[in-house]
Amino acid sequence: MFKESVMAAQTCYEGSSVQSFQFYLEQSGEHEAMLQCVRKILPGEYKRIGAGKSSLDVLGVGSGGGEMDAQVLTLLQSTFPAVPITADVVEGSSELTDNFKAVVAKTTNLQKIPFAWHIMSSEGYEREVKAKGDMKRFDFIHMVQMIYYVDNLADTIKFYHSLLKNNGRLMIIVEAANAGWDTLWKTYKKELCVDAITEYRSSGEVISCLKSQGLKYEEHAIPNTFDISECFNPSSQTGQRLLNFMTAKDNFYQSFTPEIRAGILDLLRNKCSTEKDGRVFFNSNLSCILVYA
């Protein structure tokens, strides 16, 4: 059931960065926090989206290893057990796409769904769709934690919104405005926004973009914190791996001057986190934004 189109692209996650990302997911509990939110809000949304439709088409953009997509699709199947579903997946990392295919291979209910794999960037997919001219439209499009990597936020939202069918929804999950990530990346923009992420965006930028395009949306908070106490122990392997991921560097200690390192650690402890029982918990609140067709 697999269709595949591949476009060579500079991708976010290959090799060591895939391992760093997976390590972060284990430490942060982020997927679990997102899942609690989508399980709460999506069944009701799906009933509205799918009312009276004889088939449902889903697009995941920046789907990574497919853990979230598997849940999103399973929820949709359980809401409409008799309705056929198709899934298109846009993901720049071939390694993460292989992870996703492995998830599908061992998940019985997902094997009923025809998948089309587009191994390319979001911009690559947009170019391909516009070049072909026959836009496939979707009932539900989701962009989970990927809006940081797109070239132009306004163009990206406009394009994917244009692919929604009547009554469809675009779901964007992104770090919350003024939470820990937002504070860290905006304070140290010059040092951090240099590689795959050149402009840091949180829910604040997404919402002002939606408002400027006159799009109707609703926002749901996803509370989350995780323990970064190890980051303040220079000899901790866990702390170093977390700092590497949080600053998008291969080696935190070699990537910055001592002053910048000290500044980042001070900011993480005092502006991005709360302390409880001697442990430091990073504020990694997220925001789930549902955009109406």
Side-chain angles (χ1 to χ4, degrees), residues 135-182:
M135 289 197 183
K136 177 175 178 182
R137 297 190 184 272
F138 299 92
D139 300 285
F140 187 65
I141 300 174
H142 57 91
M143 309 169 96
V144 176
Q145 286 292 55
M146 61 69 68
I147 211 79
Y148 321 106
Y149 299 101
V150 303
D151 294 342
N152 184 303
L153 179 64
D155 289 354
T156 299
I157 288 177
K158 192 173 181 180
F159 169 69
Y160 286 103
H161 185 263
S162 77
L163 297 186
L164 286 175
K165 286 196 227 172
N166 176 32
N167 216 18
R169 295 281 186 277
L170 165 63
M171 179 176 81
I172 299 171
I173 294 184
V174 63
E175 302 293 348
N178 306 318
W181 288 100
D182 203 26

Side-chain angles (χ1 to χ4, degrees), residues 24-157:
Y24 166 72
L25 288 178
E26 286 156 25
Q27 297 292 318
S28 68
E30 187 173 278
H31 271 175
E32 198 38 59
M34 291 193 258
L35 282 175
Q36 282 182 2
C37 174
V38 299
R39 286 184 186 131
K40 199 164 67 206
I41 64 175
L42 283 188
E45 282 301 316
Y46 282 162
K47 286 194 179 89
R48 281 194 283 281
I49 294 167
K53 291 183 178 170
S54 57
S55 65
L56 291 163
D57 301 299
V58 177
L59 171 64
V61 188
S63 290
E67 300 88 351
M68 286 297 295
D69 292 52
Q71 299 287 336
V72 160
L73 290 165
T74 300
L75 275 171
L76 185 56
Q77 281 179 319
S78 59
T79 312
F80 293 104
V83 176
I85 295 165
T86 74
D88 280 63
V89 175
V90 176
E91 169 52 53
S93 164
S94 50
E95 202 171 329
L96 287 171
T97 302
D98 288 342
N99 293 3
F100 193 162
K101 289 177 181 177
V103 169
V104 173
K106 60 172 196 270
T107 314
T108 318
N109 61 299
L110 296 182
Q111 289 161 15
K112 301 187 187 89
I113 296 176
F115 281 83
W117 306 96
H118 309 273
I119 303 171
M120 58 186 68
S121 66
S122 167
E123 287 79 15
Y125 179 72
E126 184 174 342
R127 281 192 297 274
E128 190 182 79
V129 166
K130 286 177 172 169
K132 281 203 310 223
D134 62 334
M135 289 197 183
K136 177 175 178 182
R137 297 190 184 272
F138 299 92
D139 300 285
F140 187 65
I141 300 174
H142 57 91
M143 309 169 96
V144 176
Q145 286 292 55
M146 61 69 68
I147 211 79
Y148 321 106
Y149 299 101
V150 303
D151 294 342
N152 184 303
L153 179 64
D155 289 354
T156 299
I157 288 177

